[in-house]
Amino acid sequence: MLPYLKGKYGNPSSLHRIGRASRDAVEEARRKVARLLGAEEEEIFFTSGGTESVNMALKGMAIPHRRGHIITSSIEHHAVLSTCRDLEDYYGFKITYLPVDRHGLVNPEFVGKAIRKSTVLVSIMHANNETGTIEPLEEISKIIKRVNVNRSEANLPRVYFHTDAVQTVGKWPVDVNILGVDMLSLSGHKFYGPKGIGALYLRTGTPLHALLHGGHHERNLRAGTENVPGIIGLGSACELAEKGGGGGKDRNLVRLKEKLRRGILKRIDEVTVNSPPDACLPGTLNVCFRYVEGESIALELDLKGVSVSSGSACSAGSPEPSHVLTAIGVEPVVARGSVRFSLGRNNKEEEVDYVLDILPPIIRRLREMSPFYYAR
Ligand code: PLP
């Protein structure tokens, strides 16, 4: 990225030499993103990140229909949920939010049953950002394909399939043809790339209305001068992920996570593990510690140099339990004590040992201060 932040400042839309050099670099990055996904380079559109890609896919598909029906799940990231809410509130769309099971899995049969005459789009995430659950997209896309065969015979428009793959690209195998999706959103900063850059995969022939209007950038689908250094960083992240096995299931991460999971369960009582044992991102472990707040644990761990995220969003000082955890059946009072540990390729075994050393006294101290602990 550095040369493109310093001397190579050409605008890729300019015809002069330095402009053409930037254009070449952008197109090279597009090829790298496409290669990682098993896509064609002209099917990749650069955006400012996962949120924009999701908005571009959902609104760009829905708005031309004026009214219609969309199917999604109840555990999507707010990028999807808030976009659906907006389509409901301001554009008159009907949205079905599918339930999930104890592990956060969407039942593919439920998708088939939820499809109506007016359905235009199904959007189901590839992996959940809180629990790491991997959704059965292949089965879902097969069901949508079967429905589309019948719809084409009945002269009905087809149903398109989008996935928010922000949590999987670069960390888990993602091939758009194996998954059978028409659109896929990804974000650079989730797999060692820069922040503020992402992409939308759009299968050739999928109709999409542009949300940003202006110049002719990104084949008229996303106007605005390209973020050249960001795009180059995203391309490199994809190239590195591909060299590391195409976003393969990292065995070392799985081993470290298992050590962390077992260690926590052995050392601390009244703990619930929310990440599923199978079909889960290798580095994501979501755990609830009863009688304490996730935020307090995160702050205590931060003081000791460990960065985790508490699974709940804080609004106006009152921590709301996570919509994902409540959807998988965790009681709201328990969900408040959730912590998400995210292991990455730079984490070492000693760091897991360190967390296992410092966590039990933190939980003990917090529980000793908790009125819920004494009222149990
Ligand atoms: N979707 C999921 C599943 C995410 O985890 C995130 C970010 O955390 C997003 C979408 C939004 O991506 P971005 O931050 O690049 O806009």
Side-chain angles (χ1 to χ4, degrees):
M1 292 169 71
L2 284 177
Y4 294 88
L5 286 163
K6 292 179 178 173
K8 297 187 170 185
Y9 49 77
N11 182 333
S13 298
S14 300
L15 292 178
H16 46 59
R17 199 155 29 90
I18 52 169
R20 288 199 312 273
S22 288
R23 167 60 51 207
D24 290 348
V26 165
E27 294 315 316
E28 177 61 23
R30 202 186 303 280
R31 278 192 284 281
K32 290 175 181 173
V33 178
R35 212 175 300 135
L36 181 66
L37 304 180
E40 301 296 329
E41 57 192 88
E42 61 277 8
E43 296 177 317
I44 304 300
F45 295 83
F46 292 115
T47 66
S48 64
T51 304
E52 187 190 327
S53 300
V54 166
N55 273 265
M56 186 171 162
L58 269 56
K59 291 187 168 167
M61 175 60 65
I63 289 172
H65 288 268
R66 315 234 172 250
R67 260 152 210 277
H69 174 238
I70 294 171
I71 298 167
T72 189
S73 81
S74 50
I75 59 159
E76 299 290 314
H77 186 272
H78 287 291
V80 169
L81 291 180
S82 301
T83 304
C84 285
R85 196 69 72 208
D86 194 55
L87 286 166
E88 240 175 338
D89 293 348
Y90 292 95
Y91 296 88
F93 277 81
K94 298 270 181 286
I95 317 279
T96 298
Y97 299 92
L98 292 174
V100 291
D101 71 8
R102 170 75 191 87
H103 295 304
L105 286 165
V106 171
N107 184 335
E109 299 293 329
F110 289 2
V111 176
K113 287 192 182 123
I115 293 177
R116 308 177 189 165
K117 227 173 172 179
S118 57
T119 306
V120 293
L121 179 68
V122 174
S123 185
I124 304 289
M125 70 198 320
H126 194 191
N128 182 267
N129 45 300
E130 290 190 35
T131 60
T133 309
I134 309 276
E135 298 295 343
L137 297 192
E138 286 177 57
E139 286 77 21
I140 295 173
S141 72
K142 278 182 197 143
I143 287 178
I144 297 174
K145 272 196 189 106
R146 277 207 296 277
V147 168
N148 279 334
V149 170
N150 296 336
R151 284 169 78 104
S152 121
E153 283 162 9
N155 263 336
L156 283 171
R158 55 170 293 193
V159 175
Y160 289 93
F161 187 21
H162 165 259
T163 188
D164 171 355
V166 164
Q167 286 292 331
T168 47
V169 170
K171 297 191 281 203
W172 186 264
V174 174
D175 183 307
V176 289
N177 295 313
I178 293 174
L179 296 178
V181 292
D182 301 302
M183 296 185 283
L184 177 147
S185 295
L186 64 94
S187 177
H189 68 110
K190 298 297 177 188
F191 59 111
Y192 310 101
K195 292 165 196 63
I197 187 72
L200 177 70
Y201 157 77
L202 181 69
R203 188 177 290 281
T204 304
T206 307
L208 202 72
H209 181 71
L211 296 188
L212 296 186
H213 302 279
H216 299 295
H217 312 85
E218 298 296 294
R219 274 154 294 132
N220 289 319
L221 262 189
R222 202 274 184 179
T225 300
E226 298 87 342
N227 168 4
V228 177
I231 289 172
I232 287 162
L234 177 65
S236 294
C238 287
E239 187 179 28
L240 290 172
E242 210 203 343
K243 280 187 184 150
K249 304 166 190 175
D250 192 322
R251 286 228 184 90
N252 191 42
L253 270 190
V254 174
R255 193 180 59 79
L256 289 184
K257 184 171 92 169
E258 188 50 19
K259 179 173 178 155
L260 181 61
R261 190 186 70 86
R262 280 171 190 259
I264 291 174
L265 288 174
K266 195 170 156 208
R267 289 168 176 77
I268 306 171
D269 58 4
E270 305 219 52
V271 167
T272 325
V273 175
N274 303 311
S275 298
D278 311 306
C280 187
L281 284 174
T284 305
L285 181 68
N286 189 305
V287 181
C288 282
F289 299 90
R290 248 179 200 268
Y291 315 116
V292 285
E293 298 285 344
E295 277 82 6
S296 312
I297 305 169
L299 289 174
E300 293 276 341
L301 284 173
D302 188 37
L303 289 174
K304 297 199 175 289
V306 179
S307 310
V308 299
S309 100
S310 61
S312 56
C314 210
S315 60
S318 73
E320 286 298 320
S322 135
H323 68 286
V324 175
L325 298 185
T326 44
I328 66 173
V330 179
E331 279 175 77
V333 64
V334 176
R336 288 212 169 86
S338 105
V339 169
R340 183 190 63 182
F341 297 89
S342 306
L343 292 123
R345 68 172 184 215
N346 296 326
N347 282 123
K348 301 191 175 49
E349 186 140 8
E350 304 87 86
E351 292 169 322
V352 173
D353 290 331
Y354 176 62
V355 171
L356 291 174
D357 276 349
I358 62 169
L359 192 57
I362 289 177
I363 302 295
R364 203 178 315 123
R365 207 169 46 250
L366 290 173
R367 280 181 176 167
E368 278 166 10
M369 293 189 290
S370 163
F372 300 112
Y373 189 61
Y374 292 103
R376 75 192 190 280

